[in-house]
Amino acid sequence: MAVSNEQRRSDIRELQSYLRTISRVNPKIPMVFPNGIFDDSTKAAVTAFQAEYGLPVTGGADTDTWNAVYRAYKDALVFLESPEAIIPTAAIMPEKSIVIGNAGYAVYIIQAMLNTILQFYDNIENAPVNGIYDGRTAASVMDVQRVNGQEPTGVMDINTWNSLARLYNYHAMMDDIDNFPQEENAVSCAENSDSEECVG
C-alpha cells in the first residue's frame, strides 16, 4: 500500500522529534525542528547520529537507524523526565527564583554544574564560580534553557534547576562509566580469550 504524503510527513516529524530529544542529552547530535520535511538539517542530524552510534553513515533513515534512534530517544527520556537532582532541591533552592544580583550557596552549586556540562556543549558559555548570580551566569543559564527548549529568561526557577541538574547527572554518570576500572573484564578475557567480548 502506498504511503500518503501526510503519513510521510508525520513519520519524518516523529523522527525529528526523537532526534531533537536525543540532542538535549547528546550535544554531538544537531538540534532539528520537527517540521515534517527531510531537509538538510535533518539529514545532518541523522548523519551525526549514525556516526555517533556506530551505524553506516548514509544520512538516510533506514530501519536500523530508525530503531536505534528510538532506543536512544527512550534512553534520553529517562534522564529528561526523571525528577532527580544532584541533591534535594529544597535544601538549596530558595523559595523564590534566583535572579541577577542574588548570591549564596545555591549559586555556587549552579555555577559548578554549568562549568561541568559546558565542556560537552559548544553553545553554553562558562560562568565564574564565585557564588554571585551575575550577568555571565545568567547568560549560561539562558544557554541551558535554549538547549532544553525552555524560554531563555536567564532566571533560575525550579524547572530550569531540574533541567540543569539532569544534564549534569547525565554527563557525570557517563564520565563515571568511561572511567570505570576494567580489571574484571581483563581477567575474564585472560581466561577466555576466544569469547566475542575479547576478540577485537
Side-chain angles (χ1 to χ4, degrees), residues 167-194:
L167 285 176
Y168 172 83
N169 285 340
Y170 175 79
H171 291 295
M173 185 199 72
M174 296 306 294
D175 187 59
D176 287 343
I177 291 174
D178 290 341
N179 292 294
F180 191 79
Q182 301 296 318
E183 285 83 354
E184 182 178 349
N185 186 58
V187 171
S188 64
C189 285
E191 296 173 350
N192 188 13
S193 59
D194 293 330

Side-chain angles (χ1 to χ4, degrees), residues 107-120:
V107 181
Y108 276 111
I109 298 296
I110 292 166
Q111 291 169 332
M113 287 195 291
L114 287 168
N115 280 282
T116 297
I117 68 172
L118 67 84
Q119 61 185 304
F120 302 100

Side-chain angles (χ1 to χ4, degrees), residues 26-157:
N26 188 338
K28 294 183 180 179
I29 310 303
M31 184 171 287
V32 296
F33 180 76
N35 59 8
I37 302 172
F38 202 92
D39 49 20
D40 289 342
S41 63
T42 303
K43 182 176 181 180
V46 170
T47 299
F49 179 89
Q50 291 170 329
E52 176 72 2
Y53 289 84
L55 296 166
V57 180
T58 64
D62 56 15
T63 300
D64 288 342
T65 297
W66 181 274
N67 290 338
V69 166
Y70 183 73
R71 287 193 299 270
Y73 162 75
K74 297 294 286 185
D75 289 342
L77 287 182
V78 172
F79 297 97
L80 295 174
E81 295 184 351
S82 170
E84 66 179 328
I86 59 168
I87 57 179
T89 303
I92 70 166
M93 282 290 290
E95 294 182 1
K96 297 181 179 179
S97 299
I98 299 175
V99 298
I100 291 178
N102 291 158
Y105 176 66
V107 181
Y108 276 111
I109 298 296
I110 292 166
Q111 291 169 332
M113 287 195 291
L114 287 168
N115 280 282
T116 297
I117 68 172
L118 67 84
Q119 61 185 304
F120 302 100
Y121 293 85
D122 294 331
N123 55 345
I124 295 181
E125 297 293 331
N126 70 318
V129 183
N130 56 14
I132 302 171
Y133 202 86
D134 53 15
R136 287 177 60 189
T137 302
S140 296
V141 168
M142 290 175 68
D143 291 336
V144 170
Q145 290 170 327
R146 292 188 185 96
V147 167
N148 284 280
Q150 298 168 317
E151 182 181 358
T153 63
V155 174
M156 178 56 65
D157 55 18

